[in-house]
Amino acid sequence: MTHWIIAPVVMPAMLAAIIVIGMRHDLALQRIVGLVGTALLAVIAGALLFSATTNEPEVYYLGNWPAPFGIVLVLDRLSALMVALTAVLALIIQLYVLGTGWDARGKHFHALFQFQLMGICGAFLTGDAFNLFVFFEVLLIASYGLMIHGAGRARLRAGVQYVAFNLIGSTLFLFALATTYAVTGTLNLADLAVKVAALPEGDAALIRVAGVLMLLVFAIKGALVPLQFWLPGTYANAPGPVAALFAVMTKVGAYAIIRIFTLIFPPTVAATGTLFADLLLPAALATLTVGAIGVLGASSLPRLAAFAGIASMGTVFVALSAFTPAATASALYYIVHSTLAGAMLFLVADLVAHRRQGTSLGQAMPPMAQGGLIAALFFLAGIAMAGMPPFSGFLGKLLILDAMRDQAALIWSFVLATSLILVLGFARAGSVLFWKAHATDVDPTPHNPEPLAFAAVFALAALLVALTVLAGPVMAWMEATAIYLHAPAPYVDANRLGVQP
Amino acid sequence: MELLVAIAVGLLTTAGLYLVLRQRTFPVIVGLSLLSYAVNVFIFASGRLAIGLPPIIADGAAGYTDPLPQALVLTAIVISFGMTAVILIMALGSYLEAGHDRVDMTGDDAE
């Protein structure tokens, strides 16, 4: 049994504590430790991804208690992919933070950042539903701190709303878990899969309630309409790099929906049937529409990025609602793409915000320093988010459309129409920000070129290009993952339920 | 007893939901606490209600009550306690910054 599975959880937790206790007054040391820690996490995540690709799912028994009595961590292809995505994104964002000096605007940025990574990695790795709740809380409490980093009135007020919304979400999650436990008597995911499949008919109504409650909780995390209200205000008011990291937090919702609703409640379960698919599809289409219209009508650049994130979650959930291996594979590809592209858009918005007073899209402002370079980066991010060729956004949407051919009339028209609205929205924002600026003759105020920050944004662009160029092998990997997700016997077997390890 | 516990959970949830929908931060926080009390009792009841039975192995016990929900409730209480403290501090900070504790963001809050 390899102990490396728990490293992505334990290492950030230790580092965060060391940073808080030992080096709270030394920013340079914090930066070095934080950066080295995140780089190590990326290396470990890469190794875990390789191990998960070549091996069957691996289970780590905490305290060596046998499943389902103890808590387990499970490393499979899906969790390894999400951990690796988180680690790579975190490394790039940390470079950006060092380049722009965001971490000097408040205290404890690096400690909170490590706690955030611990929560996200734990949520991806855990194989226990109650433990999933605990890691949700860990990532949330760190995100509350990061969200109000640097403070300011609007940020604090948006922060209170964000916390209140998520506390209600946590309460709902507890209701869902308690109902599940009352019906099945277990909270281990693999054990739940076995018990729910063999549930007596009399308990069907209760488990349906539990399932729908869980769907609601993950929909809050994933900003699915009508539960998306927290997202635009939060992301638009959060510090730019933090909002970029939050791009992976909405994916925690998508991950949980994939995990729970392919493992425990697949459409073959008699008690629930296609209930969740039927609920998910209309909500996903509404999410897509709200996101696209929001992009077109956004009043500032960070809000535009936030609504673009909502639209991308809508696209992901449209694909997930099919519950077929082909659609899930395309959704996984789109999750990776939209995390990188969404983060890039938030970083570009932050670059703009640093160089001019406000990021309003209502009126043209004078040109800014490094305007040409930023305009080019915005152009790249916009193309990627809207799903225009030649980037991975286009391929991702194409794959989703291809996988959803049996409902072509409804889904194709929604996806294609919203893509057009997204293109219009990005074109409007880009021309107000960068072209109309040149109507005034004022010379831009000089600004530190921040090479490290630009390198971070270029790294995201390079990853998007790599995802496009290597689409063939990546999709082959995603398809193998999706086939395994829809036939989860290896996941259940890996838990060796009731056997002493 | 099931009826009593069910009514208690229902009342706490109703009051919590009503307060959460208020316009000012303080009632919202009280409402969130009430909701967390409701869910704690609910989790406790999910292990079936039993009177006078030990949760751990004891000699001559007539039966056992499920110990797991009790552990879950403990975790949930600790977490909700911490979260309430966090939101209270943030609400205080936002009250001091903005000069009022209304929940909704008005036009002058936006950029």
Side-chain angles (χ1 to χ4, degrees):
Chain A
M1 183 168 63
T2 161
H3 286 276
W4 287 105
I5 297 177
I6 202 167
V9 182
V10 171
M11 198 184 64
M14 303 286 282
L15 281 181
I18 292 172
I19 291 174
V20 170
I21 296 167
M23 48 191 85
R24 64 166 74 185
H25 300 300
D26 192 344
L27 187 61
L29 202 58
Q30 284 182 23
R31 287 179 166 180
I32 293 169
V33 171
L35 195 63
V36 170
T38 316
L40 266 179
L41 181 68
V43 172
I44 294 171
L48 289 180
L49 185 62
F50 179 74
S51 154
T53 307
T54 47
N55 301 325
E56 291 286 290
E58 270 187 90
V59 174
Y60 184 81
Y61 301 92
L62 289 167
N64 228 11
W65 289 93
F69 305 110
I71 292 171
V72 293
L73 300 183
V74 183
L75 177 79
D76 68 344
R77 296 172 75 108
L78 178 61
S79 53
L81 170 71
M82 298 308 286
V83 169
L85 179 63
T86 310
V88 169
L89 184 70
L91 188 60
I92 292 174
I93 289 170
Q94 205 149 30
L95 286 178
Y96 181 88
V97 168
L98 298 192
T100 50
W102 256 109
D103 50 353
R105 297 191 194 182
K107 285 185 173 168
H108 303 310
F109 181 90
H110 290 286
L112 286 169
F113 197 83
Q114 294 296 328
F115 270 127
Q116 177 84 74
L117 291 182
M118 171 208 173
I120 297 178
C121 291
F124 288 142
L125 284 172
T126 185
D128 182 277
F130 197 82
N131 201 226
L132 181 66
F133 162 76
V134 173
F135 277 122
F136 269 19
E137 296 305 306
V138 173
L139 76 88
L140 283 174
I141 205 158
S143 78
Y144 301 157
L146 284 176
M147 149 92 209
I148 56 167
H149 179 77
R153 187 173 73 148
R155 194 168 290 158
L156 266 174
R157 302 202 59 206
V160 173
Q161 292 191 352
Y162 171 60
V163 179
F165 212 102
N166 276 297
L167 284 184
I168 296 173
S170 307
T171 312
L172 270 182
F173 201 0
L174 284 175
F175 274 117
L177 291 175
T179 314
T180 312
Y181 183 77
V183 180
T184 60
T186 181
L187 286 172
N188 175 289
L189 294 183
D191 200 26
L192 273 175
V194 176
K195 295 260 168 67
V196 168
L199 211 60
E201 209 171 310
D203 288 338
L206 266 179
I207 201 70
R208 272 204 292 273
V209 171
V212 171
L213 278 175
M214 280 201 209
L215 187 67
L216 278 178
V217 175
F218 303 145
I220 291 178
K221 292 277 170 304
L224 200 63
V225 170
L227 299 168
Q228 91 295 5
F229 293 104
W230 62 274
L231 192 141
T234 306
Y235 283 31
N237 285 304
V242 173
L245 183 66
F246 284 5
V248 82
M249 264 180 29
T250 44
K251 272 47 174 202
V252 176
Y255 161 83
I257 285 186
I258 298 177
R259 175 65 80 213
I260 302 283
F261 293 97
T262 57
L263 180 64
I264 303 175
F265 301 110
T268 47
V269 169
T272 48
T274 59
L275 170 68
F276 303 112
D278 298 343
L279 285 173
L280 209 49
L281 183 60
L285 293 176
T287 310
L288 193 52
T289 315
V290 167
I293 294 174
V295 165
L296 190 60
S299 56
S300 71
L301 193 50
R303 283 188 82 83
L304 175 131
F307 276 107
I310 292 183
S312 73
M313 288 313 289
T315 315
V316 168
F317 283 122
V318 165
L320 288 183
S321 71
F323 287 106
T324 61
T328 308
S330 60
L332 289 176
Y333 184 83
Y334 201 79
I335 283 176
V336 176
H337 153 77
S338 66
T339 307
L340 298 173
M344 185 174 166
L345 199 55
F346 277 113
L347 293 186
V348 171
D350 189 58
L351 285 175
V352 173
H354 274 258
R355 281 164 179 74
R356 57 164 53 159
Q357 303 303 315
T359 47
S360 165
L361 295 174
Q363 72 212 57
M365 301 244 198
M368 59 190 132
Q370 296 107 27
L373 196 53
I374 297 176
L377 287 170
F378 178 81
F379 187 57
L380 286 182
I383 287 179
M385 271 319 253
M388 294 223 301
F391 282 124
S392 43
F394 171 70
L395 290 178
K397 280 198 176 168
L398 203 63
L399 289 163
I400 290 173
L401 292 184
D402 187 44
M404 309 291 279
R405 239 179 247 194
D406 50 335
Q407 287 168 291
L410 176 71
I411 291 173
W412 285 38
S413 48
F414 260 96
V415 173
L416 293 175
T418 51
S419 295
L420 177 66
I421 302 177
L422 281 173
V423 171
L424 284 177
F426 280 113
R428 179 190 76 102
S431 43
V432 170
L433 275 174
F434 302 108
W435 274 349
K436 281 192 183 167
H438 291 285
T440 51
D441 287 334
V442 192
D443 277 333
T445 337
H447 193 283
N448 182 3
E450 297 176 337
L452 201 55
F454 277 100
V457 184
F458 272 113
L460 283 174
L463 282 177
L464 283 176
V465 172
L467 194 62
T468 316
V469 174
L470 300 175
V474 171
M475 260 323 273
W477 194 92
M478 299 293 185
E479 271 159 13
T481 308
I483 288 168
Y484 144 80
L485 280 172
H486 285 274
Y491 185 100
V492 177
D493 293 342
N495 276 268
R496 286 184 290 165
L497 296 167
V499 180
Q500 188 74 35
Chain B
M1 191 165 70
E2 277 77 4
L3 187 67
L4 265 181
V5 173
I7 290 173
V9 172
L11 276 180
L12 281 170
T13 312
T14 317
L17 269 184
Y18 175 77
L19 286 175
V20 162
L21 296 174
R22 304 292 290 175
Q23 293 254 344
R24 293 188 179 262
T25 326
F26 183 69
V28 169
I29 295 174
V30 175
L32 288 170
S33 320
L34 286 183
L35 277 179
S36 74
Y37 300 154
V39 81
N40 288 343
V41 179
F42 186 75
I43 298 175
F44 190 74
S46 73
R48 308 296 185 268
L49 296 169
I51 297 176
L53 296 179
I56 48 173
I57 303 230
D59 287 332
Y64 294 99
T65 178
D66 192 342
L68 188 74
Q70 305 185 5
L72 299 185
V73 168
L74 269 180
T75 317
I77 288 174
V78 172
I79 289 177
S80 68
F81 177 71
M83 292 293 177
T84 311
V86 169
I87 193 174
L88 210 53
I89 292 296
M90 283 175 68
L92 270 177
S94 118
Y95 171 68
L96 293 176
E97 287 261 345
H100 61 83
D101 71 338
R102 275 191 284 278
V103 175
D104 50 334
M105 307 264 293
T106 46
D108 58 295
D109 283 317
E111 281 192 286

